[in-house]
Amino acid sequence: METFQSLLERKLFDAIAAAGFPLAGQVTTTADARFGDYQSNAAMILAKQRGENPRTIAQKISDAFDASDLCDSPEIAVVVFLNFLLRPEAIAAMTTELATVTRLGLPAHVPTKKKVSRFVSPNYPTSKIVHAFPALL
């Protein structure tokens, strides 16, 4: 099951490619909820690489962005971050889907081999490297 972040990132990369730019940036959660749920720095990275105005690059990416099932068109922030605000319907659909999935979308547990370790105190008077060697194996 894909997360909102991975879905938005995939759709952002599709929009960047459709706008004629090379893939750049990533989608992260916002530090402040006033700016939406997720944000991307792709326009700033592309502007630096190409030597162009970051706002025009952000506008081209925003025009090519299509994720109407997840969020509205991204908002271009003052510092040229693309901000994404999730639609309540998308959140409700994901919540409903998670409620029906066993293990809440987590992968099945794979048992691993037991690993035994032995604590060897460096302060014990008879501890020498010879005594500690079997504990390292």
Side-chain angles (χ1 to χ4, degrees), residues 38-54:
Y38 294 94
Q39 67 185 10
S40 175
N41 60 349
M44 289 180 13
I45 292 172
L46 288 169
K48 191 171 189 176
Q49 288 175 354
R50 300 171 63 90
E52 296 179 23
N53 183 352

Side-chain angles (χ1 to χ4, degrees), residues 34-118:
R34 293 179 299 165
F35 302 121
D37 298 310
Y38 294 94
Q39 67 185 10
S40 175
N41 60 349
M44 289 180 13
I45 292 172
L46 288 169
K48 191 171 189 176
Q49 288 175 354
R50 300 171 63 90
E52 296 179 23
N53 183 352
R55 187 162 278 292
T56 58
I57 291 175
Q59 189 61 51
K60 288 179 185 177
I61 294 170
S62 179
D63 292 342
F65 188 81
D66 180 34
S68 57
D69 55 331
L70 294 175
C71 64
D72 293 325
S73 182
E75 178 184 316
I76 302 170
V78 176
V79 292
V80 197
F81 274 91
L82 293 166
N83 295 329
F84 306 99
L85 180 63
L86 295 175
R87 290 178 179 255
E89 303 86 31
I91 296 170
M94 181 75 78
T95 305
T96 304
E97 186 178 342
L98 278 173
T100 60
V101 175
T102 57
R103 298 191 44 78
L104 298 174
L106 296 174
H109 174 69
V110 178
T112 58
K113 286 178 65 176
K114 285 187 178 180
K115 295 184 172 111
V116 179
S117 63
R118 181 193 293 169

